[in-house]
Amino acid sequence: MVKILVVEDDETIRTSLIDMLELAGHNVLVADDGIIGLRFAQTKLPDLIISDIMMPNMDGYEMFQAIQNDPNIANIPFIFLTALA
C-alpha cells in the first residue's frame, strides 16, 4: 500500500483528492498547510507528496524547498497541484 501525503488547504479539493486516493487503495495522510505537511513528511515518511502551491503559513514552494534541504526526505517524489488557471 502506497502512503501518500496530501497537503491542501481547500477542504473541497482535499476531500475529493482523499476520496479518490483511498478508493484506489492508498493510505492517505492529510495536512492543510505547509508547516504541518513538512512535519508529516519528516515523521511519517510518505512514498509520495501531493501539494497545493498557495497555502497559509508555508506555501508549497517553501515546503518543497525545506524538503529538498532535508537529506532524510529529499528523495520523496513531489507533485504540485493547483486550482489556479
Side-chain angles (χ1 to χ4, degrees):
M1 180 180 296
V2 176
K3 185 174 12 173
I4 300 174
L5 171 59
V6 172
V7 187
E8 171 62 63
D9 65 322
D10 183 282
E11 185 176 354
T12 303
I13 295 171
R14 185 175 60 238
T15 301
S16 295
L17 195 53
I18 293 165
D19 289 346
M20 240 181 359
L21 293 169
E22 287 179 341
L23 281 172
H26 301 295
N27 180 13
V28 182
L29 306 168
V30 182
D32 61 2
D33 73 39
I35 293 172
I36 297 169
L38 176 60
R39 190 174 318 130
F40 279 6
Q42 292 167 327
T43 59
K44 307 290 185 185
L45 302 174
D47 300 304
L48 172 67
I49 300 169
I50 300 173
S51 176
D52 188 16
I53 294 174
M54 293 178 46
M55 295 181 291
N57 302 318
M58 175 186 275
D59 69 26
Y61 292 125
E62 293 168 323
M63 185 180 72
F64 178 71
Q65 186 64 44
I67 287 170
Q68 292 301 297
N69 290 331
D70 184 334
N72 295 317
I73 57 175
N75 291 326
I76 297 173
F78 194 103
I79 298 172
F80 278 119
L81 177 74
T82 185
L84 295 177

XYZ file of all heavy atoms in Angstrom:
659
model
N 0.846 -1.178 0.000
C 0.000 0.000 0.000
C 0.891 1.240 0.000
O 1.786 1.380 0.823
C -0.909 -0.018 1.233
C -1.829 1.177 1.308
S -2.908 1.190 2.746
C -3.895 -0.237 2.440
N 0.648 2.138 -0.925
C 1.427 3.365 -1.046
C 0.892 4.400 -0.063
O -0.307 4.617 0.036
C 1.355 3.911 -2.497
C 2.073 5.234 -2.608
C 1.941 2.901 -3.468
N 1.822 5.025 0.673
C 1.462 6.071 1.631
C 1.657 7.432 0.944
O 2.774 7.781 0.552
C 2.345 5.958 2.869
C 1.983 6.898 3.963
C 2.760 6.689 5.270
C 3.938 5.807 5.242
N 4.705 5.794 6.496
N 0.564 8.176 0.791
C 0.594 9.453 0.075
C 0.216 10.576 1.035
O -0.807 10.508 1.710
C -0.377 9.444 -1.117
C 0.004 8.330 -2.096
C -0.376 10.806 -1.814
C -0.978 8.142 -3.232
N 1.046 11.608 1.066
C 0.762 12.796 1.856
C 0.103 13.835 0.953
O 0.681 14.235 -0.056
C 2.046 13.367 2.461
C 1.950 14.726 3.152
C 0.943 14.698 4.304
C 3.325 15.166 3.634
N -1.105 14.253 1.310
C -1.831 15.292 0.584
C -1.770 16.558 1.424
O -2.199 16.568 2.576
C -3.303 14.884 0.334
C -4.092 16.041 -0.253
C -3.368 13.665 -0.564
N -1.236 17.632 0.840
C -1.141 18.920 1.533
C -1.973 19.913 0.731
O -1.578 20.354 -0.352
C 0.323 19.395 1.652
C 0.411 20.637 2.528
C 1.212 18.283 2.195
N -3.143 20.246 1.249
C -4.112 21.086 0.520
C -4.959 21.838 1.533
O -5.520 21.233 2.452
C -4.987 20.195 -0.366
C -6.161 20.861 -1.014
C -5.778 21.975 -1.965
O -5.115 21.698 -2.974
O -6.155 23.134 -1.677
N -5.075 23.162 1.373
C -5.849 23.955 2.324
C -7.325 24.064 1.957
O -8.152 24.311 2.831
C -5.240 25.351 2.501
C -5.290 26.182 1.237
O -5.096 25.622 0.137
O -5.522 27.399 1.339
N -7.689 23.847 0.714
C -9.090 23.929 0.301
C -9.795 22.613 0.637
O -9.441 21.552 0.109
C -9.176 24.218 -1.196
C -10.596 24.382 -1.669
O -11.279 23.347 -1.842
O -11.027 25.538 -1.852
N -10.789 22.691 1.508
C -11.454 21.478 2.004
C -12.111 20.665 0.896
O -12.044 19.429 0.892
C -12.492 21.834 3.071
C -13.124 20.627 3.701
C -14.071 20.963 4.830
O -14.176 22.140 5.218
O -14.729 20.032 5.319
N -12.735 21.319 -0.074
C -13.417 20.609 -1.157
C -12.429 19.819 -2.006
O -12.649 18.632 -2.288
C -14.198 21.604 -2.039
O -15.109 22.328 -1.214
C -14.958 20.892 -3.137
N -11.351 20.464 -2.394
C -10.334 19.788 -3.209
C -9.670 18.673 -2.403
O -9.466 17.562 -2.900
C -9.278 20.797 -3.720
C -9.938 21.799 -4.668
C -8.120 20.078 -4.403
C -9.058 22.960 -5.055
N -9.344 18.976 -1.144
C -8.698 17.990 -0.276
C -9.571 16.742 -0.124
O -9.095 15.618 -0.285
C -8.401 18.632 1.088
C -7.632 17.750 2.025
C -7.258 18.467 3.319
N -8.428 18.928 4.046
C -8.653 20.200 4.377
N -7.797 21.136 4.043
N -9.737 20.533 5.052
N -10.851 16.935 0.155
C -11.766 15.806 0.343
C -11.880 14.966 -0.928
O -11.848 13.731 -0.874
C -13.150 16.312 0.787
O -13.003 17.046 2.001
C -14.116 15.164 1.006
N -12.007 15.617 -2.064
C -12.101 14.883 -3.340
C -10.846 14.071 -3.608
O -10.921 12.912 -4.025
C -12.337 15.861 -4.493
O -13.574 16.493 -4.369
N -9.704 14.680 -3.375
C -8.436 14.002 -3.615
C -8.263 12.806 -2.676
O -7.870 11.714 -3.102
C -7.289 15.001 -3.436
C -5.925 14.643 -3.953
C -5.966 14.242 -5.415
C -4.983 15.811 -3.766
N -8.597 13.002 -1.414
C -8.505 11.916 -0.434
C -9.417 10.758 -0.841
O -8.999 9.594 -0.836
C -8.868 12.417 0.979
C -7.804 13.396 1.474
C -9.023 11.247 1.945
C -8.240 14.214 2.672
N -10.659 11.070 -1.187
C -11.614 10.032 -1.588
C -11.085 9.236 -2.780
O -11.148 8.000 -2.787
C -12.973 10.643 -1.933
C -13.722 11.158 -0.716
O -13.334 10.822 0.429
O -14.697 11.919 -0.911
N -10.579 9.936 -3.790
C -10.052 9.270 -4.977
C -8.889 8.343 -4.635
O -8.836 7.194 -5.094
C -9.558 10.327 -5.982
C -10.237 10.291 -7.296
S -9.649 11.518 -8.499
C -8.406 12.475 -7.722
N -7.964 8.843 -3.836
C -6.777 8.055 -3.498
C -7.126 6.864 -2.610
O -6.587 5.766 -2.799
C -5.734 8.944 -2.818
C -5.111 10.017 -3.712
C -4.296 10.999 -2.888
C -4.268 9.392 -4.807
N -8.025 7.058 -1.658
C -8.427 5.945 -0.795
C -9.198 4.885 -1.575
O -9.015 3.687 -1.332
C -9.240 6.456 0.396
C -8.380 7.171 1.422
C -9.153 7.706 2.613
O -10.400 7.857 2.518
O -8.515 7.988 3.633
N -10.043 5.308 -2.509
C -10.757 4.337 -3.349
C -9.792 3.507 -4.191
O -10.085 2.359 -4.523
C -11.764 5.050 -4.257
C -13.067 5.469 -3.588
C -13.895 6.341 -4.528
C -13.864 4.251 -3.153
N -8.643 4.101 -4.520
C -7.632 3.378 -5.290
C -6.766 2.492 -4.387
O -5.844 1.833 -4.864
C -6.757 4.368 -6.048
N -7.055 2.495 -3.073
C -6.357 1.603 -2.164
C -5.124 2.175 -1.493
O -4.342 1.429 -0.896
N -4.937 3.484 -1.560
C -3.757 4.096 -0.958
C -4.018 4.527 0.482
O -5.145 4.837 0.857
C -3.314 5.316 -1.777
C -2.987 4.977 -3.190
N -1.937 4.156 -3.532
C -3.581 5.333 -4.349
C -1.899 4.024 -4.841
N -2.890 4.721 -5.368
N -2.964 4.565 1.261
C -3.004 5.087 2.620
C -2.724 6.593 2.508
O -1.661 6.983 2.023
C -1.937 4.388 3.471
C -1.917 4.867 4.892
O -2.821 5.547 5.355
N -0.859 4.507 5.598
N -3.655 7.430 2.949
C -3.545 8.874 2.742
C -3.325 9.591 4.066
O -4.076 9.417 5.019
C -4.810 9.436 2.045
C -4.668 10.927 1.794
C -5.063 8.700 0.730
N -2.277 10.397 4.101
C -2.009 11.314 5.204
C -2.451 12.692 4.748
O -2.302 13.023 3.575
C -0.516 11.345 5.531
C 0.148 10.010 5.824
C 1.661 10.175 5.842
C -0.346 9.484 7.155
N -2.951 13.515 5.669
C -3.532 14.791 5.266
C -2.988 15.930 6.108
O -2.913 15.832 7.338
C -5.071 14.754 5.416
C -5.685 16.054 4.953
C -5.656 13.586 4.649
N -2.627 17.024 5.433
C -2.214 18.259 6.100
C -2.881 19.419 5.380
O -3.055 19.385 4.163
C -0.703 18.409 6.054
N -3.252 20.463 6.143
C -3.923 21.593 5.499
C -3.043 22.829 5.357
O -3.517 23.883 4.939
C -5.234 21.933 6.222
C -5.037 22.332 7.664
O -3.882 22.402 8.130
O -6.054 22.572 8.342
N -1.756 22.712 5.678
C -0.807 23.783 5.354
C 0.602 23.201 5.265
O 0.834 22.051 5.640
C -0.897 24.959 6.332
C -0.336 24.694 7.711
O 0.709 24.019 7.839
O -0.934 25.169 8.687
N 1.524 23.992 4.768
C 2.877 23.512 4.519
C 3.671 23.156 5.756
O 4.500 22.247 5.727
N 3.430 23.850 6.862
C 4.164 23.544 8.099
C 3.806 22.145 8.586
O 4.681 21.342 8.915
C 3.877 24.610 9.181
C 4.462 25.958 8.753
C 4.438 24.174 10.529
C 4.078 27.125 9.643
N 2.518 21.855 8.620
C 2.077 20.518 9.033
C 2.536 19.479 8.013
O 2.977 18.392 8.371
C 0.549 20.482 9.219
C 0.133 21.429 10.346
C 0.068 19.059 9.506
C -1.357 21.682 10.439
N 2.448 19.822 6.731
C 2.900 18.911 5.685
C 4.372 18.555 5.823
O 4.754 17.388 5.703
N 5.205 19.547 6.098
C 6.634 19.302 6.290
C 6.862 18.401 7.493
O 7.631 17.446 7.435
C 7.382 20.625 6.458
C 8.874 20.526 6.756
C 9.610 19.798 5.645
C 9.454 21.920 6.986
N 6.167 18.666 8.576
C 6.306 17.851 9.796
C 5.897 16.397 9.516
O 6.576 15.461 9.931
C 5.451 18.437 10.911
C 5.715 17.812 12.261
C 4.981 18.471 13.405
N 4.992 19.915 13.330
C 3.879 20.669 13.453
N 2.704 20.118 13.649
N 3.958 21.983 13.385
N 4.786 16.214 8.783
C 4.349 14.861 8.436
C 5.357 14.170 7.520
O 5.604 12.978 7.659
C 2.970 14.880 7.788
C 1.823 14.979 8.754
C 2.013 15.161 10.107
C 0.533 14.897 8.292
C 0.948 15.257 10.986
C -0.552 14.986 9.157
C -0.339 15.162 10.509
N 5.904 14.920 6.563
C 6.906 14.332 5.665
C 8.107 13.835 6.465
O 8.632 12.748 6.203
C 7.342 15.354 4.615
N 8.521 14.605 7.460
C 9.687 14.242 8.260
C 9.413 13.080 9.210
O 10.313 12.280 9.481
C 10.168 15.452 9.068
C 10.731 16.544 8.197
C 10.924 17.855 8.938
O 10.166 18.190 9.844
N 11.940 18.601 8.538
N 8.186 12.976 9.719
C 7.899 11.956 10.731
C 7.207 10.711 10.180
O 7.415 9.616 10.694
C 7.033 12.541 11.863
O 5.802 13.040 11.328
C 7.774 13.654 12.589
N 6.405 10.873 9.135
C 5.625 9.741 8.595
C 6.268 9.107 7.372
O 5.876 8.024 6.951
C 4.207 10.193 8.222
C 3.456 10.898 9.335
C 3.074 9.982 10.444
C 2.209 10.736 11.452
N 1.899 9.962 12.618
N 7.230 9.818 6.755
C 7.965 9.323 5.590
C 7.060 8.739 4.500
O 7.099 7.540 4.204
C 9.019 8.310 6.010
C 10.064 8.812 7.018
C 10.958 7.688 7.455
C 10.851 9.981 6.454
N 6.249 9.590 3.869
C 5.357 9.094 2.810
C 6.140 8.659 1.570
O 7.305 9.035 1.387
C 4.484 10.318 2.507
C 5.348 11.482 2.846
C 6.155 11.036 4.038
N 5.471 7.882 0.731
C 6.064 7.441 -0.531
C 5.929 8.504 -1.616
O 6.671 8.487 -2.601
C 5.381 6.154 -1.004
C 5.541 5.036 0.001
O 6.695 4.707 0.344
O 4.518 4.496 0.469
N 4.956 9.406 -1.450
C 4.662 10.460 -2.424
C 4.022 11.624 -1.690
O 3.256 11.420 -0.752
C 3.691 9.928 -3.491
C 3.111 10.921 -4.497
C 4.204 11.469 -5.413
C 1.995 10.279 -5.303
N 4.331 12.841 -2.149
C 3.697 14.046 -1.610
C 2.980 14.755 -2.750
O 3.574 15.003 -3.800
C 4.730 15.000 -0.980
C 5.463 14.308 0.177
C 4.055 16.300 -0.509
C 6.667 15.073 0.692
N 1.709 15.068 -2.539
C 0.933 15.877 -3.478
C 0.578 17.151 -2.730
O -0.057 17.102 -1.674
C -0.347 15.157 -3.940
C 0.000 13.845 -4.631
C -1.160 16.069 -4.867
C -1.211 12.988 -4.979
N 1.009 18.299 -3.269
C 0.848 19.546 -2.530
C 0.287 20.668 -3.385
O 0.669 20.844 -4.539
C 2.211 19.991 -1.976
O 2.111 21.242 -1.340
N -0.585 21.440 -2.762
C -1.048 22.696 -3.332
C 0.132 23.668 -3.335
O 1.123 23.470 -2.625
C -2.203 23.234 -2.474
C -2.891 24.444 -3.074
O -2.707 24.719 -4.283
O -3.621 25.116 -2.338
N 0.021 24.732 -4.100
C 1.067 25.755 -4.117
C 0.739 26.881 -3.146
O 1.530 27.210 -2.273
C 1.271 26.303 -5.544
C 1.818 25.198 -6.445
C 2.217 27.507 -5.522
C 1.923 25.564 -7.905
N -0.441 27.458 -3.289
C -0.817 28.594 -2.452
C -1.552 28.106 -1.205
O -2.677 27.624 -1.292
C -1.693 29.562 -3.245
C -0.960 30.240 -4.372
S -1.960 31.343 -5.384
C -2.852 32.282 -4.187
N -0.863 28.235 -0.044
C -1.435 27.813 1.235
C -0.998 28.803 2.311
O 0.020 29.481 2.155
C -0.915 26.420 1.617
C -1.334 25.326 0.686
S -0.693 23.725 1.220
C 1.059 23.909 0.924
N -1.742 28.848 3.419
C -1.333 29.733 4.513
C -0.114 29.183 5.255
O 0.203 27.993 5.145
C -2.564 29.746 5.426
C -3.250 28.452 5.154
C -2.991 28.157 3.701
N 0.548 30.043 5.988
C 1.682 29.715 6.869
C 2.955 29.342 6.113
O 3.980 29.969 6.308
C 1.330 28.634 7.877
C 0.156 29.017 8.754
O 0.066 30.142 9.207
N -0.754 28.092 8.974
N 2.917 28.341 5.275
C 4.060 27.956 4.447
C 3.493 27.457 3.128
O 2.726 26.503 3.098
C 4.873 26.851 5.127
C 6.017 26.321 4.270
S 6.870 24.898 5.009
C 8.035 25.733 6.059
N 3.839 28.125 2.028
C 3.277 27.704 0.741
C 4.001 26.461 0.212
O 4.985 25.993 0.786
C 3.262 28.856 -0.270
C 4.631 29.291 -0.763
O 5.582 28.488 -0.755
O 4.752 30.459 -1.186
N 3.481 25.934 -0.874
C 4.029 24.708 -1.432
C 5.474 24.820 -1.869
O 6.253 23.881 -1.699
N 5.866 25.979 -2.418
C 7.257 26.171 -2.838
C 8.199 26.150 -1.635
O 9.271 25.548 -1.679
C 7.422 27.489 -3.590
C 6.736 27.533 -4.937
C 5.833 28.539 -5.235
C 6.999 26.582 -5.925
C 5.205 28.600 -6.465
C 6.376 26.622 -7.155
C 5.475 27.645 -7.420
O 4.852 27.703 -8.636
N 7.787 26.822 -0.554
C 8.621 26.842 0.660
C 8.730 25.444 1.265
O 9.812 25.036 1.712
C 8.028 27.807 1.691
C 8.085 29.257 1.269
C 7.253 30.163 2.149
O 6.159 29.745 2.600
O 7.696 31.308 2.373
N 7.631 24.719 1.274
C 7.658 23.365 1.798
C 8.560 22.475 0.944
O 9.370 21.708 1.465
C 6.245 22.778 1.861
C 6.210 21.415 2.513
S 4.572 20.683 2.601
C 4.289 20.277 0.894
N 8.434 22.595 -0.383
C 9.270 21.809 -1.288
C 10.751 22.104 -1.052
O 11.570 21.181 -0.998
C 8.889 22.102 -2.741
C 9.724 21.367 -3.748
C 9.576 19.999 -3.916
C 10.649 22.034 -4.524
C 10.347 19.313 -4.843
C 11.423 21.354 -5.448
C 11.273 19.989 -5.613
N 11.092 23.379 -0.887
C 12.485 23.765 -0.637
C 12.990 23.163 0.675
O 14.098 22.640 0.737
C 12.624 25.288 -0.601
C 14.057 25.764 -0.497
C 14.880 25.384 -1.712
O 14.431 25.513 -2.845
N 16.082 24.907 -1.483
N 12.159 23.206 1.716
C 12.552 22.635 3.007
C 12.746 21.125 2.887
O 13.676 20.561 3.486
C 11.502 22.957 4.071
N 11.907 20.470 2.122
C 12.035 19.027 1.906
C 13.327 18.725 1.146
O 14.056 17.800 1.496
C 10.795 18.473 1.178
C 9.608 18.453 2.148
C 11.058 17.083 0.593
C 8.268 18.169 1.507
N 13.625 19.506 0.131
C 14.843 19.295 -0.646
C 16.105 19.516 0.186
O 17.152 18.935 -0.104
C 14.861 20.220 -1.866
C 13.813 19.882 -2.903
C 13.983 18.462 -3.424
O 14.995 18.133 -4.020
N 13.002 17.621 -3.169
N 16.011 20.349 1.209
C 17.158 20.631 2.075
C 17.333 19.617 3.203
O 18.293 19.700 3.961
C 17.036 22.041 2.673
C 17.244 23.111 1.630
O 17.954 22.915 0.648
N 16.615 24.252 1.813
N 16.406 18.685 3.338
C 16.482 17.661 4.375
C 16.866 16.334 3.723
O 16.063 15.724 3.019
C 15.124 17.533 5.078
C 15.136 16.564 6.237
O 15.969 15.627 6.244
O 14.301 16.723 7.139
N 18.096 15.871 3.936
C 18.545 14.651 3.248
C 17.728 13.403 3.577
O 17.728 12.447 2.806
C 20.005 14.493 3.702
C 20.145 15.336 4.915
C 19.114 16.416 4.829
N 17.007 13.401 4.693
C 16.205 12.238 5.064
C 14.934 12.104 4.227
O 14.358 11.016 4.141
C 15.827 12.300 6.544
C 17.026 12.195 7.441
O 17.909 11.376 7.213
N 17.090 13.039 8.453
N 14.477 13.211 3.627
C 13.220 13.184 2.860
C 13.354 13.784 1.459
O 12.384 13.849 0.726
C 12.081 13.887 3.636
C 12.441 15.326 3.981
C 11.713 13.090 4.881
C 11.333 16.128 4.629
N 14.542 14.204 1.095
C 14.746 14.893 -0.182
C 14.393 14.050 -1.402
O 14.071 14.604 -2.453
C 16.194 15.375 -0.287
N 14.404 12.746 -1.271
C 14.139 11.873 -2.423
C 12.684 11.446 -2.554
O 12.353 10.655 -3.437
C 15.033 10.634 -2.360
C 16.478 10.977 -2.596
O 16.788 11.882 -3.375
N 17.363 10.281 -1.923
N 11.808 11.949 -1.697
C 10.391 11.611 -1.815
C 9.829 12.313 -3.055
O 9.973 13.531 -3.196
C 9.604 12.050 -0.560
C 10.100 11.308 0.680
C 8.099 11.818 -0.767
C 9.500 11.807 1.990
N 9.200 11.583 -3.960
C 8.594 12.226 -5.138
C 7.552 13.258 -4.698
O 6.814 13.046 -3.735
C 7.943 11.065 -5.884
C 8.676 9.851 -5.425
C 9.048 10.129 -3.995
N 7.505 14.372 -5.429
C 6.687 15.522 -5.044
C 5.924 16.006 -6.272
O 6.522 16.243 -7.313
C 7.613 16.632 -4.538
C 6.928 17.740 -3.805
C 6.974 17.814 -2.432
C 6.250 18.735 -4.496
C 6.361 18.851 -1.733
C 5.630 19.768 -3.829
C 5.686 19.828 -2.442
N 4.613 16.158 -6.133
C 3.770 16.659 -7.220
C 3.070 17.912 -6.744
O 2.423 17.905 -5.696
C 2.718 15.616 -7.652
C 3.399 14.354 -8.181
C 1.766 16.207 -8.685
C 2.432 13.210 -8.444
N 3.209 19.006 -7.513
C 2.453 20.212 -7.227
C 1.083 20.106 -7.851
O 0.932 19.634 -8.987
C 3.157 21.461 -7.792
C 4.247 21.988 -6.923
C 5.547 22.053 -7.399
C 3.990 22.442 -5.633
C 6.561 22.558 -6.614
C 5.009 22.938 -4.836
C 6.292 23.001 -5.330
N 0.084 20.567 -7.117
C -1.298 20.569 -7.587
C -1.853 21.962 -7.321
O -1.675 22.500 -6.236
C -2.098 19.531 -6.785
C -3.578 19.427 -7.067
C -3.790 18.737 -8.402
C -4.248 18.626 -5.955
N -2.516 22.562 -8.305
C -3.105 23.868 -8.076
C -4.422 23.977 -8.837
O -4.594 23.354 -9.893
C -2.155 25.014 -8.472
O -2.731 26.253 -8.129
C -1.837 24.976 -9.968
N -5.327 24.765 -8.289
C -6.609 25.001 -8.945
C -6.589 26.283 -9.761
O -7.564 26.627 -10.401
C -7.720 25.067 -7.905
N -5.457 26.978 -9.732
C -5.347 28.230 -10.480
C -5.236 27.964 -11.972
O -4.608 27.009 -12.392
C -4.132 29.032 -10.017
C -4.170 29.530 -8.582
C -2.864 30.251 -8.259
C -5.347 30.467 -8.363
N -5.840 28.848 -12.743
C -5.771 28.706 -14.196
C -4.496 29.318 -14.722
O -3.933 30.188 -14.161
C -6.959 29.397 -14.840
